[in-house]
Amino acid sequence: YPSTLKKIYNCVTMMIHDHFSRCQEIPEGMQIAFNEKRRQSAHSIGSKKYWEESASFLGMVNFTGSYGRAMIVYSQDVTSFQA
């Protein structure tokens, strides 16, 4: 999982390029559709800024937990992590 909002883009691109194309759990029909869509729009994944702003809009925030560990949390959950 990404540890900060800025790292979401990298995780998404890794999933698209490394995982989805090989995942045995994705039904064959979906795999074919995914690969076709990927070929048609090879560069339309969006910008790093798009992914960061979208996550923020959905209520996700960067948070530093215990021992200085960086993580992303849903903004309504921040108080439970601080307790």
Side-chain angles (χ1 to χ4, degrees):
Y1 296 100
S3 57
T4 65
L5 296 178
K6 286 183 183 258
K7 294 182 179 180
I8 292 174
Y9 174 85
N10 292 339
C11 288
V12 169
T13 57
M14 284 178 38
M15 288 292 290
I16 288 172
H17 296 294
D18 296 334
H19 178 75
F20 290 163
S21 61
R22 295 185 208 128
C23 182
Q24 300 296 314
E25 300 299 318
I26 298 174
E28 185 178 351
M30 286 182 89
Q31 190 73 267
I32 292 168
F34 168 76
N35 287 327
E36 180 61 30
K37 183 70 172 170
R38 188 171 142 204
R39 277 190 282 284
Q40 291 173 0
S41 56
H43 299 289
S44 65
I45 188 171
S47 68
K48 291 179 183 183
K49 184 177 179 181
Y50 164 81
W51 286 94
E52 186 176 353
E53 288 177 351
S54 294
S56 181
F57 178 78
L58 292 172
M60 297 176 187
V61 295
N62 291 322
F63 181 76
T64 302
S66 57
Y67 306 108
R69 182 172 175 249
M71 64 180 79
I72 298 171
V73 297
Y74 184 60
S75 61
Q76 293 180 344
D77 295 334
V78 170
T79 54
S80 65
F81 282 101
Q82 293 174 337

